[in-house]
Amino acid sequence: MELLLYCGLPGAGKSTYYKLHHVDTHIRLNLDMLKTRERERLLLEAALQAKAKLVIDNTNPDVLSRSLYIQAALQARYQVICYWFCAPFEEALARNDLRTGTARVSRVGIASIAKQFITPSYEEGFHEIHRVHTLDHHRYNLERSIDLSISEVKHEV
């Protein structure tokens, strides 16, 4: 049983990565799709009880937002793996500009998430942390189980 927790700016490539790599193996929880925290909570609880493989596909920019999922997964005896999509601010903005309608996030919204973003750490309860670099719309470079002692990243806004 595993929970994959994605974190990164809007436009970093999280949802596309899910569609390319985890759509056939993991249930996706995404607040944009579910619309409310209550719906998300109910689906999370049901999936954990069913022992289903999960992906949390949200920005999860800080320790508090990630802790809700991590603690629930650890209590259910899941392996918790972070996929950190570390796209620079300008790259995330450029990819976001290709979106249309409600999928597009305002520049101010992305800047706000960038300012509050805290690099994920093993102290949060992750068993593994993978850093994902989005190369283009369908290509990624995945660094597995990275050493975060040299990976502190701040987004330039």
Side-chain angles (χ1 to χ4, degrees), residues 77-143:
R77 300 184 190 269
Y78 271 62
Q79 181 178 25
V80 183
I81 303 169
C82 178
Y83 279 69
W84 170 30
F85 292 77
C86 56
F89 180 73
E90 291 300 326
E91 285 181 24
L93 278 180
R95 279 193 290 278
N96 181 64
D97 285 344
L98 300 174
R99 296 173 169 176
T100 59
T102 59
R104 180 178 265 169
V105 180
S106 71
R107 181 183 180 95
V108 171
I110 296 174
S112 175
I113 292 168
K115 287 178 184 174
Q116 62 180 296
F117 194 88
I118 297 170
T119 302
S121 71
Y122 289 102
E123 289 77 23
E124 295 177 59
F126 293 115
H127 294 97
E128 298 175 23
I129 298 175
H130 304 319
R131 185 170 30 206
V132 183
H133 300 274
T134 304
L135 304 175
D136 60 36
H137 190 64
H138 291 99
R139 293 184 321 122
Y140 296 84
N141 180 28
L142 177 67
E143 294 178 67

Side-chain angles (χ1 to χ4, degrees), residues 5-6 30-31 55 64 66 83 87 95 98 101 104 116 120 151:
L5 190 143
Y6 292 1
N30 176 270
L31 194 55
V55 166
L64 181 60
R66 296 187 291 255
Y83 279 69
R95 279 193 290 278
L98 300 174
R104 180 178 265 169
Q116 62 180 296
S151 299

